[in-house]
Every structure is written in structure tokens, then in C-alpha cells.
Amino acid sequence: MTAKTVLILSILDILAGVSYGQISPGELTTAHANLEGMSNCTQCHTIGKSLSNARCLSCHKEINVRIKQGEGYHATVSLKMCQECHHEHFGRNYQIMPLDTATFNHSAVGFALTGKHKSTSCRQCHNTNNISAADVKLLPATQQKITYLGLSTSCQSCHEDIHKGQLSSNCSSCHTTERWKPADNFSHDRTNFVLTGKHRTTGCYQCHNQTLADGKTIKFTHMSFSSCVSCHADPHKGEFKQPCSSCHTTETFVIVAKAEFDHSKTLFPLRGKHADLKCSQCHSDNPMKKNISGELGFHITKFQACSDCHADAHAGQFADRDDGGKCDACHIDAGFKPAEFSIDDHQKTRYILTGAHKAVACNDCHQSGKVNAQSKLQFRWKGEIDCTTCHSNIHGGQFVNEMARGCVTCHTTVSWQSLLFSHEKTRFPLRGKHAEIACSKCHTQPAEPLPVQYVGLDMKCSSCHADEHKGQFMIEGFTDCGRCHTAENWTRTNFDHDTQSSFPLTGKHIGVACEKCHPTVLIDGKRTARYRPIGTKCIDCHSA
């Protein structure tokens, strides 16, 4: 090439550049950089017109397809011109796809953001890894990196199927976008195993505790549930052949469905208190624990006697009876108390109840704390039984010599106060007023806890009565009231003035009142009649 030719070409290039600079409004963005130059203008612009949507969509076929199908955001703005949103000729670094992610209405693309999706950044979903549309996958890598197209609305397009295809591909049938766990939309009622009773509150993984072949994916389908033993061990160790539901419900294992299970069909029909017991009280709920018969589980062979299950509450007190101390001789299964033991039954024992004893409560004699057993009551005594077996001797041994027959020498069982005792047999027979007064008037209690004194009392009048005469008739320190008075009446005396005094009454003296000669005087601070000493001369009573 000659120098002249080179010069001409250089001039043409300069002129072309000047011409393009005058025509182009500015540099294209990086995305459209390959369309720079006057020869490429008509790829976007029409002659005599501005931009054409048809020209844009002829390149952006993936958008054109979605507009025609009425899908995606562009279908909602198809009446707009492309350049209304996508501006060009502002330089290589200009953002031709302006998107305000904070205000963008995602519902417009047919996928409303809810729950956790609201706080998820756009590019966490809109990235090349999640593109599933075939036409978008054909775009250059640079376009795939920035596009928002090509995503599916199915959960699996973004999320891993952790159930490995066991369940429906529609995750929302069980889960919500608010949270993955728990699966709020899941209902076990839609499965082949409807949950009832305790199954409703059982944790999922207590039943779903198996994994798939990978050793880590929880198995949710194709579970075995044809019978209870598919999940539960048989606590009865095969003793029963009928299905569990014939006795139990899902509400609770420990309560037997009595409407289904009939204990009367066993060898031990339940009656009385037995009907109220929990099964585990006789049939241990621990399959490794032996029951009272020494057996495991529910099968019990030794139940013919109460003692097969119950300990002897009376510690063998009745073992020597003819029946060997059978419980049902006194008790019934309606309740351990009260005992079915009557007074008539008591009359057949070696202690026959008489009098007030018939009305005494059993526990007053058969007291608690006497026996080391469940029932601490003492019912049987060894040796002879007398009053002191139950009663203490309140007389303190005062009658030990007189009580050859014990308390019944004086008392009866009719009443403690009903006495067989006669005072006539004592050294002090009761006469007159003495027979009318209460025993306690003479027989007093010196002090607690000493007993009332009956033996050894002083029989002198002065031991109970005060000396109304202030010692006027005392002889050698003793006043014998009986010389003048009787027990019939104090005021009536047997005193004889002629024989018992030194002044026999004669003549007019016989009719004179006593107090005319025996005036009232003050002796030891008390007013009393003067009997001794007194003058016997006439002048002692008669004035001159």
C-alpha cells in the first residue's frame, strides 16, 4: 500500500468518527457494547422512527416468549416501550436494568413472597444454580449471572428435597414459608394411620426412627403399622393372643378398656374394692418385676386366699383359730373396715361381752400401737383375761386382800357405779344420815395421782365432823359424840341429864329450856352453848 493510499484511509476514518460522534447520543452499556458503530444502529432503531420493541424482543427471545405466554413481569408491562425502563447511551457502566428490590412487587411475577422469603435477598434465589428454564440456560454466562428469569416456583428448584422423594413434591402440603419445623400444614389424618389418643402427643421421631439406605434420611413412608407390636414391645410376653385393642385404647396403656375387657371371665372376678384397683396394683407394670405369686406379667395362679396377695394385717393373731385365720371370716371385699364381726360373734370367744361392754367401741379395748403389723390393733391376749387386762386398778391395791374374785367382788359390767359392795360388812355400818350421803363425802382423794382412800380411815366423828362444842366434852383428848348424838339426827340427842351430869333435873328444872341455864358464849372466836364448866349452885343461876 502506497503512502498516498494510507493517508486517504486515515482521513476517511477520521471523518467517519466525527460523523458517528455527531449522530450517536452516547456510549452503549457493556451489555450492548457489541452493537457500537453506525452500521449497527438499525439493529435497534428503525429509519425515521425511534426505538422498536420488536427489535428488542428479536434479541431477547426469552422475554418475548414469556410475554406471549402471559407470564412473568414483562407480560404485565407489555404495552410499554422497552426504553421507558431500560435507557441506553449513558456509558459502559450504566445500569440498564434498574430494579428497586425494596419496593418491587414480587406478586406481579406470579410468586408472592411470604414468610422467610420476605427476608431472603434476591440473589439467594436468582442465581445461575437455580435456573431451570432451558431457554435461559442457553444465554451467555454473563447474562445468566444478572438475569432474574428462568426460575421455577417449585420448592425443589431452590431447596433440596430432604425427604428424597418419599413425599409429595408440593412442600406446602406440609410446610409453610414461615418455618420449616414443625410442619404446620401436615395432618396425619390424611395418611393411612390416623393418630388417636396418646399417639397425637408422641414426638414424630419416636415412631419415625428408621432411615433410608443412605443411613441419614428419616423414613416417613412404607412404615409397618399393621399391629401394635409393629412399634411396641409386648409387655405381656405373649400371655395374650388377642389384639391389644381388645383390652387397651390409645388414650393410655395403663387404663384397660373395661368395656372391652371383662375380668369376670377370668378365674378371679373383681368385686368390691378389687373393682376399683389399678391393674398394675396386682399385675406389675414392670415386665421384669415379679408379681405377688412370683411370676412375670399378667398371669397369676396363686390367688385363692387373701394372703396370696395381702400380708396378714393382724400379724398372725388369728392363726390358731379353727379356720386358720381366714380373712373373710371377718372382712368382705367391699372394704377392710368395718369388720363383719358382730357382738354375737364376740360371744363365741373366750371373753363374753356383758353389760356396758356391749356398747363400748371396739378400739377402746382393741387399741392401736400394740402390734407391729399393718393393723396395729391387738385382738388376742395370752393367759387369763380379767378387768386389769384393760383397766388399771384405781384403788391402788387397797382391797388386795378382799378381792379374791377381782373387781367383780364389788363392781358389775352394767355400770361402774352399780356396786355389789355393802358397807354393812365393814367396821363402820352406815346408819341414819350416814346412809344418805355420797361416798365421796367421807372417802376423799388426798391428792393427785393418789387414789381415793377407802381403807384405813379414822372412824371417830371428829375425823369427818368439827367439834361444835369446842372441846367441852373432851375426855383424855377425845370427844365421844355418840354419848349424846345419833346418826339419825344431830339435833335429837340421847343425853340423860340425870345420869350423865352432876346436876339431875328435878321439879321446875325439868321444864326449863336448856339455853336458860346453858347460855351462848364465845369460845375460840365462835359462839356456842356453854355446857362445861358451869356452876351447880342455886345462886349461879338465881339472883338473891
Side-chain angles (χ1 to χ4, degrees):
M1 183 180 293
T2 63
K4 183 177 181 179
T5 302
V6 172
L7 178 60
I8 292 171
L9 292 173
S10 298
I11 292 171
L12 290 173
D13 287 340
I14 293 170
L15 290 174
V18 172
S19 174
Y20 174 74
Q22 292 174 343
I23 295 172
S24 175
E27 195 174 43
L28 295 175
T29 61
T30 301
H32 291 152
N34 62 318
L35 299 176
E36 284 284 7
M38 293 181 64
S39 60
N40 293 322
C41 294
T42 56
Q43 293 192 45
C44 297
H45 299 275
T46 59
I47 298 174
K49 294 182 179 180
S50 60
L51 292 171
S52 167
N53 282 358
R55 295 290 176 90
C56 294
L57 295 176
S58 65
C59 284
H60 297 286
K61 295 181 177 63
E62 69 282 359
I63 296 177
N64 192 28
V65 168
R66 285 157 178 77
I67 291 175
K68 289 180 178 179
Q69 293 175 345
E71 298 175 350
Y73 175 73
H74 288 96
T76 65
V77 294
S78 59
L79 298 179
K80 287 187 176 183
M81 296 298 293
C82 299
Q83 70 267 23
E84 290 185 50
C85 296
H86 305 287
H87 306 294
E88 261 294 1
H89 296 290
F90 285 98
R92 290 284 189 265
N93 297 324
Y94 182 73
Q95 295 296 322
I96 196 172
M97 294 185 354
L99 179 63
D100 185 354
T101 58
T103 60
F104 180 71
N105 181 13
H106 214 283
S107 300
V109 300
F111 189 82
L113 297 182
T114 58
K116 293 291 185 181
H117 287 158
K118 287 182 179 180
S119 58
T120 302
S121 65
C122 301
R123 288 303 175 190
Q124 280 185 262
C125 297
H126 294 283
N127 60 65
T128 55
N129 294 328
N130 294 335
I131 293 174
S132 60
D135 56 345
V136 180
K137 284 186 175 182
L138 295 175
L139 295 175
T142 53
Q143 285 185 254
Q144 290 187 39
K145 187 175 182 181
I146 63 174
T147 187
Y148 287 96
L149 302 177
L151 267 61
S152 170
T153 56
S154 68
C155 300
Q156 290 89 342
S157 64
C158 291
H159 303 283
E160 177 189 3
D161 178 10
I162 67 168
H163 303 310
K164 304 300 182 185
Q166 297 180 83
L167 306 175
S168 169
S169 60
N170 182 16
C171 302
S172 62
S173 63
C174 298
H175 303 279
T176 67
T177 58
E178 297 295 331
R179 55 187 178 179
W180 176 255
K181 292 181 180 180
D184 295 328
N185 290 340
F186 174 74
S187 173
H188 224 285
D189 294 345
R190 298 196 300 265
T191 71
N192 293 328
F193 188 80
V194 177
L195 298 182
T196 59
K198 287 292 184 182
H199 287 154
R200 288 187 175 275
T201 56
T202 301
C204 303
Y205 300 120
Q206 285 185 254
C207 296
H208 297 281
N209 52 17
Q210 303 175 38
T211 62
L212 299 181
D214 60 9
K216 59 181 181 180
T217 304
I218 300 299
K219 186 177 181 180
F220 284 101
T221 60
H222 300 99
M223 303 291 293
S224 176
F225 52 86
S226 57
S227 67
C228 299
V229 293
S230 299
C231 293
H232 304 280
D234 179 9
H236 308 312
K237 304 300 181 183
E239 289 290 343
F240 301 105
K241 307 305 178 186
Q242 61 267 41
C244 305
S245 57
S246 63
C247 298
H248 302 279
T249 70
T250 58
E251 295 300 325
T252 174
F253 182 79
V254 297
I255 297 179
V256 173
K258 294 185 178 180
E260 301 293 337
F261 180 77
D262 187 357
H263 215 285
S264 64
K265 295 179 180 179
T266 70
L267 297 178
F268 190 83
L270 298 181
R271 299 187 181 91
K273 289 292 184 181
H274 288 150
D276 299 331
L277 295 177
K278 295 180 179 178
C279 303
S280 58
Q281 288 181 261
C282 297
H283 305 283
S284 173
D285 57 1
N286 182 353
M288 298 307 296
K289 183 179 179 182
K290 292 182 179 181
N291 59 34
I292 197 70
S293 300
E295 300 160 319
L296 294 176
F298 271 67
H299 186 60
I300 299 177
T301 55
K302 191 179 180 183
F303 53 83
Q304 289 73 23
C306 300
S307 57
D308 291 334
C309 291
H310 302 280
D312 182 0
H314 305 304
Q317 294 184 72
F318 303 108
D320 60 350
R321 283 193 327 201
D322 293 340
D323 62 3
K326 290 181 63 176
C327 303
D328 56 11
C330 299
H331 302 280
I332 60 175
D333 49 20
F336 186 76
K337 294 180 180 179
E340 296 290 308
F341 188 82
S342 66
I343 292 179
D344 290 338
D345 293 323
H346 210 292
Q347 306 305 68
K348 299 173 185 177
T349 69
R350 65 192 184 106
Y351 189 81
I352 298 173
L353 298 179
T354 59
H357 284 160
K358 290 183 178 181
V360 174
C362 302
N363 289 359
D364 285 355
C365 296
H366 302 284
Q367 296 182 0
S368 180
K370 304 294 184 180
V371 177
N372 186 19
Q374 179 184 352
S375 171
K376 300 182 183 301
L377 301 177
Q378 182 178 2
F379 287 98
R380 309 201 102 190
W381 285 264
K382 295 180 180 180
E384 293 296 325
I385 299 177
D386 58 20
C387 300
T388 57
T389 302
C390 293
H391 304 282
S392 59
N393 185 350
I394 66 170
H395 301 312
Q398 295 180 74
F399 304 110
V400 66
N401 296 326
E402 293 83 4
M403 292 174 61
R405 296 172 50 237
C407 302
V408 295
T409 303
C410 299
H411 300 279
T412 70
T413 58
V414 175
S415 170
W416 175 254
Q417 287 76 21
S418 299
L419 298 177
L420 301 175
F421 172 76
S422 174
H423 226 283
E424 295 297 314
K425 298 177 181 180
T426 69
R427 294 184 296 131
F428 192 85
L430 299 181
R431 299 287 186 270
K433 293 292 184 181
H434 284 157
E436 300 175 5
I437 62 174
C439 303
S440 57
K441 291 291 185 179
C442 298
H443 300 285
T444 59
Q445 188 172 16
E448 291 284 0
L450 297 176
V452 175
Q453 187 175 1
Y454 289 97
V455 177
L457 289 178
D458 190 345
M459 293 184 290
K460 299 184 182 70
C461 298
S462 58
S463 64
C464 291
H465 303 283
D467 183 0
E468 294 292 330
H469 304 305
K470 296 300 179 182
Q472 294 180 71
F473 300 103
M474 186 177 293
I475 299 174
E476 296 181 357
F478 169 66
T479 300
D480 183 7
C481 303
R483 288 184 298 167
C484 301
H485 301 281
T486 69
E488 297 297 330
N489 195 312
W490 171 258
T491 58
R492 186 183 304 161
T493 70
N494 55 9
F495 177 74
D496 186 353
H497 217 287
D498 294 339
T499 60
Q500 291 179 265
S501 74
S502 59
F503 190 83
L505 297 180
T506 58
K508 289 290 186 180
H509 285 157
I510 296 175
V512 176
C514 300
E515 58 268 19
K516 290 292 185 177
C517 298
H518 301 283
T520 299
V521 297
L522 196 65
I523 302 176
D524 294 336
K526 184 177 180 179
R527 297 177 65 81
T528 186
R530 166 68 73 183
Y531 292 101
R532 288 184 177 183
I534 193 169
T536 58
K537 295 177 181 180
C538 297
I539 197 171
D540 292 331
C541 292
H542 304 281
S543 62

